[in-house]
Amino acid sequence: MNRAKKGQAMNLKIQSVEKNAVFKLIDSNRRTIVKGVKSWSGVVPKTGDYKIAVGTERGGASYTLSVSSN
């Protein structure tokens, strides 16, 4: 797995049958970049490993998470 690099564009999108799956993007210092969203596009603020924590707005969810970068 490659580390994200500062200035790199990142695109995240989560889809679920129940339409209730959301995610949180966390940087290597455990700072939250976005929280409780279904999609995000942005530029990575620093080089490092990022975590994506998946949760739900209610109940359980079957989901597909798409991650892409430029």
Side-chain angles (χ1 to χ4, degrees):
M1 177 185 271
N2 295 327
R3 290 180 163 212
K5 295 189 170 122
K6 180 179 179 177
Q8 180 178 6
M10 183 183 290
N11 305 296
L12 306 171
K13 184 175 183 180
I14 195 164
Q15 295 177 308
S16 65
V17 173
E18 301 85 357
K19 300 190 185 317
N20 65 340
V22 292
F23 65 86
K24 173 168 54 170
L25 179 62
I26 306 162
D27 73 11
S28 58
N29 290 328
R30 298 182 182 169
R31 292 190 188 118
T32 299
I33 295 173
V34 293
K35 178 180 175 183
V37 296
K38 295 182 182 188
S39 66
W40 179 81
S41 293
V43 175
V44 174
K46 64 180 192 168
T47 298
D49 295 327
Y50 287 73
K51 293 182 182 182
I52 303 166
V54 175
T56 64
E57 297 171 318
R58 64 191 181 289
S62 300
Y63 65 88
T64 301
L65 179 66
S66 302
V67 179
S68 64
S69 64
N70 302 351

